[in-house]
Amino acid sequence: MRHRIVQITACAAVVAGCGLGSGSTVPFQVGPGSIQHNPALAGVAITVGSKEYTEQVIMGYILEFTLAAAGAQVRDLTGIVGSRSTREAQLRGQVDVAYEFTGNAWINYLGHEKPIPDSRLQYEAVRDEDLARNDMVWLAPGPMDDTYALAASREVVERTGVRTLSQYAELVRTDPAAARTCVDTEFRARQDGYPGMAAAYGFDPARAQTPVLQVGIIYQATADAGQCDFGEVFTTDGRIAALDLVVLIDDKQFFAHYNPSVTMKREFFEAHPQIAEVTAPVTAALTNEVIMELNRQVDVEGRDPAAVARDWLVSEGFITEK
């Protein structure tokens, strides 16, 4: 959904304009673990895609190594810039499978303005509507929930007393200079971002001071509390804990649930239904705690996302190294 930037491995423009190819080879060779060789997937060519931000690239590699351990011939198209480009690549058949988030599809692909508060109902609504409208299949979702949030340093929280978004809204109404909020361009414009949040919490977004920064800079700027008092964050980002940021409580439950699901076109799923069985245990293991740690290893320690994905799968016994 979002834009924590890592090295881009695919094209840096929209799909229609850059001519995505068939991808590259998977960066590491892996073997079966609890994910066993599946004869029905042996030698099947599968192109795995992802968006370009850290978490999505890690999850793309997790999916690649999972399918490779089952025997598929996997091609790597991780790092496509932007949600729309990645989605278009799937619709055009340039990407066979990818992890997508329920809330992102509900609002940005299917065009709904309001999320469904119950995460299971949100998944079922996306699954049913996307299949009916676009022939997209959504497999069972994982427990992680990577949604938008606002955060602040502990010093700012203690100074302002703001711990919930309702309290933040009141601060914007009464003392907007004390509520400078760093955002990225997309969050500032999206209906599941700042404008929608402002409407839900009853304040005028034009009153707020919202400096626009790159997402990767916002975390440190928020922790420093100089350029901004509050900042846009994503709830599974490892930098929240590393920088000791406090996430404001979404007390009106505005922000959508973003649970991950392996997605693919109906025709591809019907040809290879075994993908559901192979990927299910891995998706089920993707908790917020797990993905925050994997994100931290990339964004804080500077590790290669492919190595982080492989090492986690090996540590969980899903695959083995070759």
Coordinates of all heavy atoms in Angstrom, one line a residue, residues 103-193:
G103 N -7.6 -3.5 2.7 CA -8.1 -2.1 2.7 C -7.7 -1.3 1.5 O -8.5 -0.5 1.0
N104 N -6.5 -1.6 1.0 CA -6.0 -0.9 -0.2 C -7.0 -1.2 -1.4 O -7.3 -0.3 -2.1 CB -4.6 -1.3 -0.5 CG -4.0 -0.5 -1.6 OD1 -4.1 0.7 -1.7 ND2 -3.3 -1.1 -2.5
A105 N -7.3 -2.5 -1.5 CA -8.2 -2.9 -2.6 C -9.6 -2.3 -2.5 O -10.2 -1.8 -3.4 CB -8.2 -4.4 -2.7
W106 N -10.1 -2.3 -1.3 CA -11.4 -1.8 -1.0 C -11.6 -0.4 -1.4 O -12.6 0.0 -2.1 CB -11.8 -2.1 0.4 CG -13.2 -1.7 0.8 CD1 -13.6 -0.7 1.6 CD2 -14.4 -2.4 0.5 NE1 -14.9 -0.6 1.8 CE2 -15.5 -1.7 1.1 CE3 -14.7 -3.5 -0.3 CZ2 -16.8 -2.1 0.9 CZ3 -16.0 -3.9 -0.5 CH2 -17.0 -3.2 0.1
I107 N -10.6 0.4 -1.0 CA -10.7 1.9 -1.2 C -10.2 2.3 -2.5 O -10.8 3.1 -3.3 CB -10.1 2.6 0.0 CG1 -10.9 2.4 1.2 CG2 -10.0 4.1 -0.3 CD1 -10.3 2.9 2.5
N108 N -9.0 1.9 -2.9 CA -8.3 2.4 -4.0 C -8.5 1.6 -5.3 O -8.4 2.2 -6.4 CB -6.8 2.5 -3.7 CG -6.4 3.5 -2.6 OD1 -6.7 4.7 -2.8 ND2 -6.0 3.0 -1.5
Y109 N -8.8 0.4 -5.3 CA -9.1 -0.4 -6.5 C -10.6 -0.5 -6.7 O -11.1 -0.4 -7.9 CB -8.5 -1.8 -6.4 CG -7.0 -1.8 -6.2 CD1 -6.4 -2.9 -5.7 CD2 -6.2 -0.7 -6.6 CE1 -5.1 -3.0 -5.5 CE2 -4.9 -0.8 -6.4 CZ -4.3 -1.9 -5.8 OH -2.9 -2.0 -5.6
L110 N -11.4 -0.7 -5.7 CA -12.8 -0.9 -5.8 C -13.6 0.3 -5.6 O -14.8 0.4 -5.8 CB -13.3 -2.0 -4.9 CG -12.6 -3.4 -5.1 CD1 -13.0 -4.4 -4.0 CD2 -12.9 -3.9 -6.5
G111 N -13.0 1.4 -5.1 CA -13.6 2.7 -5.1 C -14.5 3.1 -4.0 O -15.3 4.0 -4.1
H112 N -14.4 2.3 -2.9 CA -15.3 2.6 -1.7 C -14.6 3.7 -0.9 O -13.4 3.8 -0.7 CB -15.5 1.4 -0.9 CG -16.2 0.3 -1.7 ND1 -17.6 0.3 -1.8 CD2 -15.8 -0.8 -2.3 CE1 -17.9 -0.8 -2.6 NE2 -16.8 -1.4 -2.9
E113 N -15.4 4.6 -0.3 CA -14.9 5.7 0.6 C -14.7 5.3 2.0 O -13.8 5.8 2.7 CB -15.8 6.9 0.5 CG -15.8 7.5 -0.9 CD -16.5 8.9 -0.9 OE1 -17.1 9.3 0.1 OE2 -16.6 9.5 -2.0
K114 N -15.6 4.4 2.5 CA -15.5 4.0 3.9 C -15.1 2.5 4.1 O -15.7 1.6 3.4 CB -16.9 4.2 4.6 CG -17.3 5.7 4.6 CD -18.6 5.9 5.4 CE -19.0 7.3 5.5 NZ -20.2 7.5 6.2
P115 N -14.1 2.3 5.0 CA -13.8 0.9 5.2 C -14.8 0.2 6.0 O -15.7 0.8 6.7 CB -12.4 1.0 6.0 CG -12.6 2.3 6.7 CD -13.4 3.2 5.7
I116 N -14.7 -1.1 6.1 CA -15.6 -2.0 6.9 C -14.8 -2.2 8.2 O -13.7 -2.8 8.2 CB -15.9 -3.3 6.2 CG1 -16.8 -3.0 5.0 CG2 -16.7 -4.2 7.2 CD1 -17.0 -4.2 4.1
P117 N -15.3 -1.9 9.4 CA -14.5 -2.0 10.6 C -14.1 -3.4 11.0 O -13.0 -3.5 11.6 CB -15.5 -1.4 11.7 CG -16.4 -0.5 10.9 CD -16.6 -1.2 9.6
D118 N -14.9 -4.4 10.7 CA -14.5 -5.8 11.1 C -13.6 -6.3 10.0 O -13.9 -6.3 8.8 CB -15.8 -6.6 11.1 CG -15.4 -8.0 11.6 OD1 -15.1 -8.9 10.7 OD2 -15.5 -8.3 12.7
S119 N -12.4 -6.7 10.4 CA -11.4 -7.1 9.4 C -11.8 -8.4 8.6 O -11.5 -8.5 7.4 CB -10.0 -7.4 10.1 OG -10.2 -8.5 11.0
R120 N -12.5 -9.3 9.2 CA -12.9 -10.5 8.5 C -14.0 -10.1 7.4 O -14.0 -10.6 6.3 CB -13.5 -11.5 9.4 CG -13.9 -12.8 8.7 CD -12.7 -13.6 8.2 NE -13.1 -14.7 7.3 CZ -12.2 -15.5 6.8 NH1 -11.0 -15.4 7.1 NH2 -12.6 -16.4 5.9
L121 N -14.9 -9.3 7.8 CA -16.0 -8.8 6.9 C -15.3 -8.0 5.8 O -15.8 -8.0 4.6 CB -17.1 -8.0 7.6 CG -17.9 -8.8 8.6 CD1 -18.9 -7.9 9.3 CD2 -18.6 -10.0 7.9
Q122 N -14.3 -7.2 6.1 CA -13.6 -6.4 5.1 C -13.0 -7.3 4.1 O -13.1 -7.1 2.9 CB -12.6 -5.5 5.7 CG -11.8 -4.7 4.8 CD -12.6 -3.6 4.2 OE1 -12.6 -2.5 4.6 NE2 -13.2 -3.9 3.1
Y123 N -12.3 -8.4 4.5 CA -11.7 -9.3 3.6 C -12.8 -10.0 2.7 O -12.6 -10.1 1.5 CB -10.9 -10.4 4.4 CG -10.7 -11.7 3.6 CD1 -9.8 -11.7 2.5 CD2 -11.5 -12.8 3.8 CE1 -9.6 -12.8 1.8 CE2 -11.3 -14.0 3.1 CZ -10.4 -14.0 2.0 OH -10.2 -15.1 1.3
E124 N -13.9 -10.4 3.3 CA -14.9 -11.1 2.6 C -15.5 -10.2 1.5 O -15.8 -10.7 0.4 CB -16.0 -11.7 3.5 CG -15.4 -12.8 4.4 CD -16.4 -13.3 5.4 OE1 -17.5 -12.6 5.6 OE2 -16.2 -14.3 6.1
A125 N -15.7 -9.0 1.9 CA -16.3 -8.0 0.9 C -15.3 -7.8 -0.3 O -15.8 -7.8 -1.4 CB -16.6 -6.7 1.6
V126 N -14.0 -7.6 0.0 CA -13.0 -7.5 -1.0 C -13.0 -8.7 -1.9 O -13.0 -8.7 -3.1 CB -11.7 -7.1 -0.4 CG1 -10.6 -7.2 -1.5 CG2 -11.7 -5.8 0.2
R127 N -12.9 -9.9 -1.2 CA -12.8 -11.1 -2.0 C -13.9 -11.3 -3.0 O -13.7 -11.6 -4.1 CB -12.8 -12.3 -1.0 CG -12.8 -13.7 -1.6 CD -13.2 -14.7 -0.5 NE -14.6 -14.5 -0.1 CZ -15.2 -15.1 0.9 NH1 -14.5 -15.9 1.7 NH2 -16.4 -14.8 1.2
D128 N -15.1 -11.1 -2.5 CA -16.3 -11.3 -3.3 C -16.4 -10.3 -4.5 O -16.7 -10.6 -5.6 CB -17.6 -11.3 -2.5 CG -17.6 -12.4 -1.5 OD1 -16.8 -13.4 -1.6 OD2 -18.4 -12.4 -0.5
E129 N -16.2 -9.0 -4.1 CA -16.4 -8.0 -5.1 C -15.3 -8.0 -6.2 O -15.6 -7.8 -7.4 CB -16.5 -6.6 -4.5 CG -16.8 -5.5 -5.5 CD -17.1 -4.2 -4.8 OE1 -17.5 -4.2 -3.6 OE2 -16.9 -3.1 -5.5
D130 N -14.1 -8.2 -5.8 CA -13.0 -8.2 -6.7 C -13.0 -9.4 -7.7 O -12.7 -9.3 -8.8 CB -11.6 -8.2 -6.0 CG -10.5 -7.5 -6.8 OD1 -10.8 -6.8 -7.7 OD2 -9.3 -7.7 -6.4
L131 N -13.5 -10.5 -7.2 CA -13.7 -11.7 -8.0 C -14.8 -11.4 -9.0 O -14.7 -11.7 -10.2 CB -14.1 -12.9 -7.2 CG -14.3 -14.2 -8.0 CD1 -13.0 -14.6 -8.7 CD2 -14.8 -15.3 -7.0
A132 N -15.9 -10.8 -8.6 CA -17.1 -10.5 -9.5 C -16.7 -9.5 -10.5 O -17.1 -9.6 -11.7 CB -18.3 -10.1 -8.7
R133 N -16.0 -8.5 -10.1 CA -15.7 -7.3 -11.0 C -14.5 -7.5 -11.9 O -14.4 -7.1 -13.0 CB -15.6 -6.0 -10.2 CG -16.9 -5.5 -9.7 CD -16.7 -4.3 -8.8 NE -16.0 -3.2 -9.4 CZ -15.7 -2.1 -8.8 NH1 -16.1 -1.9 -7.6 NH2 -14.9 -1.2 -9.4
N134 N -13.4 -8.2 -11.3 CA -12.1 -8.2 -12.0 C -11.5 -9.6 -12.1 O -10.4 -9.7 -12.6 CB -11.2 -7.3 -11.2 CG -11.7 -5.9 -11.1 OD1 -11.9 -5.2 -12.1 ND2 -11.8 -5.4 -9.8
D135 N -12.3 -10.6 -11.8 CA -11.8 -12.0 -11.8 C -10.5 -12.2 -11.0 O -9.6 -13.0 -11.3 CB -11.5 -12.4 -13.3 CG -12.7 -13.0 -14.0 OD1 -13.6 -13.4 -13.2 OD2 -12.7 -13.1 -15.2
M136 N -10.4 -11.4 -9.9 CA -9.2 -11.6 -9.0 C -9.6 -12.5 -7.8 O -10.6 -12.3 -7.2 CB -8.8 -10.2 -8.5 CG -8.1 -9.4 -9.6 SD -6.5 -10.0 -10.1 CE -5.5 -9.8 -8.7
V137 N -8.8 -13.4 -7.5 CA -8.9 -14.4 -6.4 C -8.1 -13.9 -5.2 O -6.9 -13.6 -5.4 CB -8.5 -15.8 -6.8 CG1 -8.5 -16.7 -5.6 CG2 -9.5 -16.3 -7.9
W138 N -8.7 -13.9 -4.1 CA -8.0 -13.6 -2.8 C -8.0 -14.8 -1.9 O -9.1 -15.3 -1.6 CB -8.8 -12.4 -2.1 CG -8.6 -11.1 -2.8 CD1 -9.1 -10.7 -4.0 CD2 -7.9 -10.0 -2.2 NE1 -8.8 -9.4 -4.2 CE2 -8.0 -8.9 -3.2 CE3 -7.2 -9.7 -1.1 CZ2 -7.5 -7.7 -3.0 CZ3 -6.6 -8.5 -0.9 CH2 -6.8 -7.5 -1.8
L139 N -6.8 -15.3 -1.6 CA -6.7 -16.4 -0.7 C -6.9 -16.0 0.7 O -7.0 -14.8 1.0 CB -5.3 -17.1 -0.9 CG -5.0 -17.6 -2.3 CD1 -3.7 -18.3 -2.3 CD2 -6.2 -18.5 -2.9
A140 N -6.9 -16.9 1.7 CA -7.2 -16.6 3.1 C -6.2 -15.6 3.6 O -5.0 -15.7 3.3 CB -7.1 -17.9 3.9
P141 N -6.6 -14.6 4.3 CA -5.7 -13.5 4.7 C -4.9 -13.8 5.9 O -5.1 -14.8 6.7 CB -6.7 -12.4 5.1 CG -7.9 -13.1 5.6 CD -8.0 -14.4 4.8
G142 N -3.8 -13.1 6.1 CA -2.9 -13.2 7.2 C -3.3 -12.3 8.4 O -4.1 -11.4 8.2
P143 N -2.8 -12.5 9.6 CA -3.2 -11.8 10.7 C -2.6 -10.4 10.8 O -3.2 -9.5 11.5 CB -2.7 -12.6 11.9 CG -1.6 -13.4 11.4 CD -1.9 -13.7 9.9
M144 N -1.5 -10.1 10.1 CA -0.9 -8.8 10.2 C -1.8 -7.7 9.7 O -2.6 -8.0 8.8 CB 0.5 -8.7 9.5 CG 0.4 -8.9 8.0 SD 2.0 -8.7 7.2 CE 1.9 -6.9 7.0
D145 N -1.7 -6.5 10.2 CA -2.6 -5.4 9.8 C -1.8 -4.2 9.7 O -1.6 -3.5 10.6 CB -3.7 -5.3 10.8 CG -4.8 -4.3 10.4 OD1 -4.7 -3.7 9.3 OD2 -5.8 -4.1 11.1
D146 N -1.3 -3.9 8.4 CA -0.5 -2.8 8.2 C -1.3 -1.6 7.7 O -1.6 -1.4 6.5 CB 0.5 -3.2 7.0 CG 1.4 -2.0 6.6 OD1 1.4 -1.0 7.3 OD2 2.1 -2.1 5.6
T147 N -1.7 -0.8 8.7 CA -2.6 0.3 8.4 C -1.9 1.7 8.7 O -0.8 1.7 9.3 CB -3.9 0.2 9.2 OG1 -4.8 1.2 8.6 CG2 -3.7 0.5 10.6
Y148 N -2.5 2.7 8.2 CA -1.9 4.1 8.5 C -2.1 4.4 10.0 O -3.0 3.9 10.6 CB -2.7 5.1 7.7 CG -2.3 5.3 6.3 CD1 -3.3 5.2 5.2 CD2 -1.0 5.6 5.9 CE1 -2.9 5.4 3.9 CE2 -0.7 5.8 4.6 CZ -1.6 5.7 3.6 OH -1.3 5.9 2.3
A149 N -1.3 5.3 10.5 CA -1.5 5.8 11.8 C -0.7 7.2 11.9 O 0.1 7.5 11.0 CB -1.0 4.9 12.9
L150 N -1.0 7.9 12.9 CA -0.2 9.0 13.3 C 0.6 8.7 14.6 O 0.1 8.0 15.4 CB -1.0 10.3 13.6 CG -1.8 10.9 12.4 CD1 -2.4 12.2 12.8 CD2 -0.8 11.1 11.2
A151 N 1.8 9.2 14.7 CA 2.7 8.9 15.8 C 3.4 10.2 16.2 O 3.4 11.2 15.5 CB 3.7 7.8 15.5
A152 N 3.9 10.2 17.4 CA 4.7 11.3 18.0 C 5.7 10.8 18.9 O 5.7 9.6 19.4 CB 3.7 12.2 18.7
S153 N 6.7 11.6 19.2 CA 7.7 11.2 20.2 C 7.0 11.3 21.6 O 6.0 11.9 21.8 CB 8.9 12.2 20.2 OG 8.4 13.5 20.6
R154 N 7.7 10.6 22.5 CA 7.1 10.6 23.9 C 7.1 12.1 24.5 O 6.2 12.4 25.2 CB 7.9 9.7 24.8 CG 7.7 8.2 24.4 CD 8.2 7.2 25.4 NE 8.1 5.9 24.9 CZ 6.9 5.2 25.0 NH1 5.9 5.7 25.6 NH2 6.8 4.0 24.5
E155 N 8.1 12.9 24.1 CA 8.2 14.2 24.6 C 7.0 15.0 24.1 O 6.4 15.8 24.9 CB 9.5 14.9 24.1 CG 9.7 16.3 24.6 CD 9.1 17.4 23.7 OE1 9.0 17.2 22.5 OE2 8.6 18.4 24.3
V156 N 6.6 14.9 22.8 CA 5.4 15.6 22.3 C 4.1 15.1 22.9 O 3.2 15.9 23.2 CB 5.4 15.4 20.7 CG1 4.0 15.9 20.2 CG2 6.5 16.2 20.1
V157 N 4.0 13.8 23.1 CA 2.8 13.2 23.8 C 2.7 13.8 25.2 O 1.6 14.2 25.6 CB 2.9 11.7 23.8 CG1 1.8 11.1 24.7 CG2 2.8 11.1 22.4
E158 N 3.8 13.9 25.9 CA 3.7 14.4 27.3 C 3.4 15.9 27.3 O 2.6 16.4 28.1 CB 5.0 14.1 28.0 CG 5.2 12.7 28.3 CD 6.6 12.4 28.8 OE1 7.4 13.4 29.0 OE2 7.0 11.2 29.0
R159 N 4.0 16.6 26.3 CA 3.7 18.1 26.2 C 2.3 18.4 25.8 O 1.7 19.4 26.3 CB 4.7 18.7 25.2 CG 4.5 20.2 24.9 CD 5.6 20.8 24.2 NE 6.1 20.1 23.1 CZ 5.6 20.1 21.9 NH1 4.6 20.9 21.6 NH2 6.1 19.5 20.9
T160 N 1.8 17.7 24.9 CA 0.4 18.0 24.3 C -0.7 17.2 25.0 O -1.9 17.7 24.9 CB 0.4 17.7 22.8 OG1 0.6 16.3 22.6 CG2 1.4 18.5 22.1
G161 N -0.4 16.1 25.6 CA -1.4 15.3 26.2 C -2.2 14.5 25.1 O -3.2 13.9 25.5
V162 N -1.7 14.5 23.9 CA -2.4 13.8 22.8 C -2.0 12.4 22.7 O -0.9 12.1 22.4 CB -2.2 14.6 21.5 CG1 -2.7 13.7 20.3 CG2 -2.8 16.0 21.5
R163 N -3.0 11.5 22.9 CA -2.7 10.1 22.8 C -3.7 9.4 21.8 O -3.5 8.2 21.5 CB -2.8 9.4 24.2 CG -1.7 9.8 25.1 CD -1.8 9.1 26.5 NE -0.6 9.5 27.3 CZ 0.6 9.0 27.3 NH1 0.8 8.0 26.4 NH2 1.5 9.4 28.1
T164 N -4.8 10.1 21.5 CA -5.8 9.6 20.5 C -6.0 10.5 19.4 O -5.6 11.7 19.5 CB -7.1 9.4 21.2 OG1 -7.7 10.7 21.5 CG2 -7.0 8.6 22.5
L165 N -6.6 10.0 18.3 CA -6.8 10.9 17.2 C -7.9 11.9 17.5 O -7.9 13.0 16.9 CB -7.2 10.1 15.9 CG -6.1 9.3 15.3 CD1 -6.5 8.5 14.1 CD2 -4.9 10.2 15.0
S166 N -8.8 11.6 18.4 CA -9.8 12.6 18.8 C -9.1 13.8 19.5 O -9.4 15.0 19.3 CB -10.8 12.0 19.7 OG -11.7 11.2 19.0
Q167 N -8.1 13.5 20.3 CA -7.4 14.6 21.0 C -6.5 15.3 20.0 O -6.3 16.5 20.1 CB -6.5 13.9 22.1 CG -7.3 13.4 23.3 CD -6.5 12.6 24.2 OE1 -5.4 12.0 23.9 NE2 -6.9 12.5 25.5
Y168 N -6.0 14.6 19.0 CA -5.2 15.3 18.0 C -6.1 16.3 17.2 O -5.7 17.4 16.9 CB -4.6 14.2 17.0 CG -4.0 14.8 15.8 CD1 -2.8 15.3 15.7 CD2 -4.8 14.8 14.6 CE1 -2.3 15.9 14.5 CE2 -4.3 15.3 13.4 CZ -3.0 15.9 13.4 OH -2.5 16.4 12.2
A169 N -7.3 15.8 16.9 CA -8.2 16.7 16.2 C -8.5 17.9 17.0 O -8.6 19.1 16.4 CB -9.5 15.9 15.8
E170 N -8.7 17.8 18.3 CA -9.0 19.0 19.1 C -7.8 19.9 19.1 O -7.9 21.1 19.1 CB -9.3 18.5 20.5 CG -9.6 19.6 21.5 CD -10.9 20.4 21.1 OE1 -11.7 19.9 20.3 OE2 -11.0 21.6 21.6
L171 N -6.6 19.4 19.1 CA -5.4 20.2 19.1 C -5.3 21.0 17.8 O -4.9 22.2 17.8 CB -4.1 19.3 19.3 CG -2.8 20.1 19.4 CD1 -2.8 20.9 20.6 CD2 -1.6 19.1 19.3
V172 N -5.6 20.3 16.7 CA -5.6 21.0 15.4 C -6.6 22.2 15.4 O -6.4 23.3 14.9 CB -6.0 20.1 14.2 CG1 -6.2 20.8 12.9 CG2 -4.9 19.0 14.1
R173 N -7.8 21.9 16.0 CA -8.8 23.0 16.1 C -8.4 24.2 16.9 O -8.7 25.3 16.6 CB -10.2 22.4 16.6 CG -10.9 21.5 15.5 CD -12.3 21.1 16.0 NE -12.2 20.2 17.1 CZ -12.3 18.9 17.0 NH1 -12.5 18.3 15.8 NH2 -12.3 18.1 18.1
T174 N -7.7 23.9 18.1 CA -7.5 24.9 19.0 C -6.1 25.5 19.0 O -5.9 26.7 19.3 CB -7.7 24.4 20.5 OG1 -6.8 23.3 20.7 CG2 -9.1 23.9 20.7
D175 N -5.1 24.7 18.5 CA -3.7 25.2 18.5 C -3.0 24.5 17.3 O -2.1 23.7 17.5 CB -3.0 24.9 19.8 CG -1.7 25.6 19.9 OD1 -1.3 26.4 19.0 OD2 -0.9 25.3 20.9
P176 N -3.3 24.9 16.1 CA -2.8 24.2 14.9 C -1.3 24.2 14.8 O -0.6 23.3 14.3 CB -3.4 24.8 13.7 CG -4.0 26.1 14.2 CD -4.3 25.9 15.7
A177 N -0.7 25.3 15.4 CA 0.8 25.4 15.3 C 1.5 24.3 16.2 O 2.7 24.0 15.9 CB 1.2 26.8 15.8
A178 N 0.8 23.8 17.1 CA 1.3 22.7 18.0 C 1.1 21.4 17.4 O 1.5 20.4 18.0 CB 0.7 22.8 19.4
A179 N 0.5 21.3 16.2 CA 0.1 20.0 15.6 C 0.7 19.8 14.2 O 0.1 19.3 13.4 CB -1.4 19.8 15.6
R180 N 1.9 20.4 14.0 CA 2.6 20.2 12.7 C 2.7 18.7 12.5 O 3.3 17.9 13.3 CB 3.9 20.8 12.7 CG 3.9 22.4 12.8 CD 5.3 22.9 13.0 NE 5.8 22.3 14.3 CZ 7.1 22.3 14.6 NH1 8.0 22.9 13.8 NH2 7.5 21.8 15.8
T181 N 2.2 18.2 11.3 CA 2.2 16.8 11.0 C 2.8 16.5 9.7 O 2.3 16.9 8.6 CB 0.7 16.4 11.0 OG1 0.0 16.7 12.2 CG2 0.6 14.9 10.8
C182 N 3.9 15.8 9.7 CA 4.6 15.4 8.5 C 3.9 14.3 7.8 O 3.6 13.2 8.4 CB 6.1 15.1 8.8 SG 7.1 16.5 9.4
V183 N 3.7 14.4 6.5 CA 3.0 13.4 5.7 C 3.7 13.3 4.4 O 4.5 14.1 4.0 CB 1.5 13.8 5.5 CG1 0.8 13.9 6.8 CG2 1.4 15.1 4.7
D184 N 3.4 12.2 3.7 CA 3.9 12.1 2.3 C 2.8 12.5 1.3 O 1.6 12.7 1.8 CB 4.4 10.7 2.0 CG 3.3 9.7 1.7 OD1 2.2 9.8 2.3 OD2 3.5 8.7 1.0
T185 N 3.1 12.7 0.1 CA 2.1 13.2 -0.9 C 0.9 12.4 -1.0 O -0.2 12.9 -1.1 CB 2.8 13.3 -2.3 OG1 4.0 14.2 -2.2 CG2 1.9 14.0 -3.3
E186 N 1.1 11.0 -1.0 CA 0.0 10.1 -1.2 C -1.0 10.2 0.0 O -2.2 10.3 -0.2 CB 0.5 8.7 -1.4 CG -0.6 7.7 -1.9 CD -0.1 6.4 -2.4 OE1 1.2 6.3 -2.5 OE2 -0.9 5.5 -2.6
F187 N -0.5 10.1 1.2 CA -1.3 10.2 2.4 C -2.1 11.5 2.5 O -3.2 11.5 2.9 CB -0.4 10.0 3.6 CG -1.2 10.0 4.9 CD1 -2.0 8.9 5.3 CD2 -1.1 11.0 5.8 CE1 -2.7 8.9 6.5 CE2 -1.7 11.0 7.0 CZ -2.5 10.0 7.4
R188 N -1.4 12.6 2.0 CA -2.1 13.9 2.1 C -3.3 14.0 1.2 O -4.2 14.8 1.4 CB -1.1 15.0 1.7 CG -1.5 16.4 2.1 CD -0.4 17.3 1.6 NE -0.6 18.7 2.2 CZ 0.2 19.7 1.9 NH1 1.2 19.6 1.0 NH2 -0.1 20.9 2.4
A189 N -3.4 13.1 0.1 CA -4.4 13.2 -0.8 C -5.4 12.1 -0.8 O -6.6 12.3 -1.2 CB -3.8 13.3 -2.3
R190 N -5.0 10.9 -0.3 CA -5.9 9.7 -0.4 C -7.1 9.8 0.6 O -6.9 10.3 1.7 CB -5.1 8.5 -0.1 CG -4.2 8.0 -1.2 CD -3.2 7.0 -0.8 NE -3.9 5.8 -0.2 CZ -3.4 4.5 -0.5 NH1 -2.4 4.3 -1.3 NH2 -4.0 3.5 0.0
Q191 N -8.2 9.3 0.2 CA -9.4 9.3 1.0 C -9.2 8.4 2.2 O -10.0 8.5 3.2 CB -10.6 9.0 0.2 CG -11.1 10.1 -0.7 CD -11.3 11.4 0.1 OE1 -12.0 11.5 1.1 NE2 -10.6 12.4 -0.3
D192 N -8.4 7.4 2.1 CA -8.1 6.6 3.3 C -6.9 7.2 4.1 O -6.4 6.5 5.0 CB -7.8 5.1 2.9 CG -6.6 5.0 2.0 OD1 -6.2 6.0 1.3 OD2 -6.1 3.8 1.9
G193 N -6.5 8.4 3.8 CA -5.4 9.1 4.4 C -5.9 10.3 5.2 O -6.9 10.3 5.8

